[in-house]
Amino acid sequence: MLSIQLATNKQVARSSIRSSSSLDTIPTIQTMASLQSALKFLSLPNACPLSIIALDPATGKPLAVNSAFESIFGPFYKFKEWEFGDAATEDDDGGSNRTRFRGAIQVVCDSLLKHNGDDDVGAAVLGNTNRNRNIRNVEMLTLGTNEAGLPVRKYFDWSIGWVKLDSEEDKMNAAVMLYGTLVNEVESTNRARDAELIDFFQNAPIAMHWLNGDGTILWANQTEMNVLGYTAEEYIGQPIMNFCPDEKELVLETFKQLGSGKTIKDVPVRFRTKDGKIVHLLIDSNVAYNKDGSFGHTRCFIRDDTARKIQDSRVQVLLDENERSLRMLDNFLSRTLHHVMGPLHALRATCDLICDRLQTSTPHYIDYTNKENLENADLLQRASDTISGSARMIADVSDLARFDEGAMLRTKFTSFDLRKLGIEAIEKIKFKDLRFNGGDDGITVSVKFLGGGGPDTLNTDRQVLLRVLDHLLENAVREADPGGNIHLQITSFPPSATTNS
């Protein structure tokens, strides 16, 4: 009894094979009879539009063909000695035209020879060739339909199956069956255009994928799978959450935004590769909706964010190190200034002591009419004033460094008279230390207290306010023109007033 296993639809199962009239192309009469039985069973000797060819699984050479095959490929005698896999054109530019065609045929041949036509051969062939039984866009070399026909390249879609023969010979009890459909020029052009577009998306320099409404991966390009290290079988059809387990809340929030019609940009998501490494990616996405307005699928574009993360980390390390260095410098400066302040205070106290003794000594020890003694006393006073100015400057620098470190200004509140504070500020001006010529240059400084309805006394830190007035007046004296006038006006407003004093 004849059993038939085909890899196409029922129409193909009813197609027929016409054997060659030349018996020397068929291995044995018994095999020929088996093929003839198959032809009768198929019952459509020449009506089937498919090109059908039977191959010897041991050699890969043709056993028989139908008329549709000969009408395209040419007379049987032209290719009867070919291994039919060689009819596919050679691979060019790294392609796989002949390789994939011969590989698909070889898998079926190997399965038939291995099982030697046993009853389980069908399951074996189908199980081993499930992905290879249908081969599209195979470029074939046809040999013309007559003696003068020229070889022409055409494209075919092939389905591969097998037929079991009623033969007593162990080596010839099955044949490989190929069923081909000629691809016309228009369809070939469209397929080429489609292939170019598919290649554009699959091998784009940016990763892309589609997700349905529940987060299942509908499609992903090869670039994305290369980034994560997964195959299509391992990646497509799986929930996206499986590949970013550390970002579940972020992914759910992102889906909420997409579902509300928003477009997301530069969303950082941590994915896990197949080998467990974390990859930082940036995602841009929006939603393609169905015609009825329901959620269709996302359009996600993914960029590798690892380089930016590394750069940001390096910048942060540099910033931290810079801050640490500045803190160390401030601490060093603060300690240095503190150590300088001690000797300055001691030197100032010494100058004041000597000056005081010169001024209070009896005439027995010092002659006030002696000009040299007076100059010495004046020199000591100026030295004391200069040392005091240096000490104030060091105190200002030290306080500024402490403020940069985040130190808080500690104030001591006391009640004092504003007029007396202004007078004291003016009396502390040292013209000789502030002007280039060592004199006052005819500059006059005055203070005026204007009543603004406020109290004459103020409750605040007296030393801090005096320090501010000292700096203001000293800067004014330095910048004033010779003979200029500097007026310090102090106005006290009531607490409810909004005008600054």
Side-chain angles (χ1 to χ4, degrees), residues 10 15 19 49 82 125 265 272 294 299 345 425-426 456 499:
K10 294 181 180 180
S15 61
S19 66
W82 276 22
V125 172
K265 293 184 178 180
R272 285 194 177 271
S294 60
R299 294 180 286 230
H345 285 306
I426 291 178
D456 295 342
T499 307

Side-chain angles (χ1 to χ4, degrees), residues 39-99:
L39 297 179
K40 292 179 181 179
F41 181 81
L42 294 172
S43 73
L44 294 175
N46 295 310
C48 181
L50 299 180
S51 299
I52 305 176
I53 181 172
L55 302 181
D56 182 349
T59 65
K61 294 181 179 181
L63 296 175
V65 299
N66 72 340
S67 59
F69 185 95
E70 285 189 315
S71 68
I72 298 175
F73 278 85
F76 184 79
Y77 72 87
K78 287 189 175 184
F79 50 85
K80 66 180 180 179
E81 296 300 328
W82 276 22
E83 182 180 344
F84 190 65
D86 291 338
T89 57
E90 294 184 1
D91 306 337
D92 357 332
D93 300 330
S96 58
N97 184 68
R98 178 179 290 181
T99 300

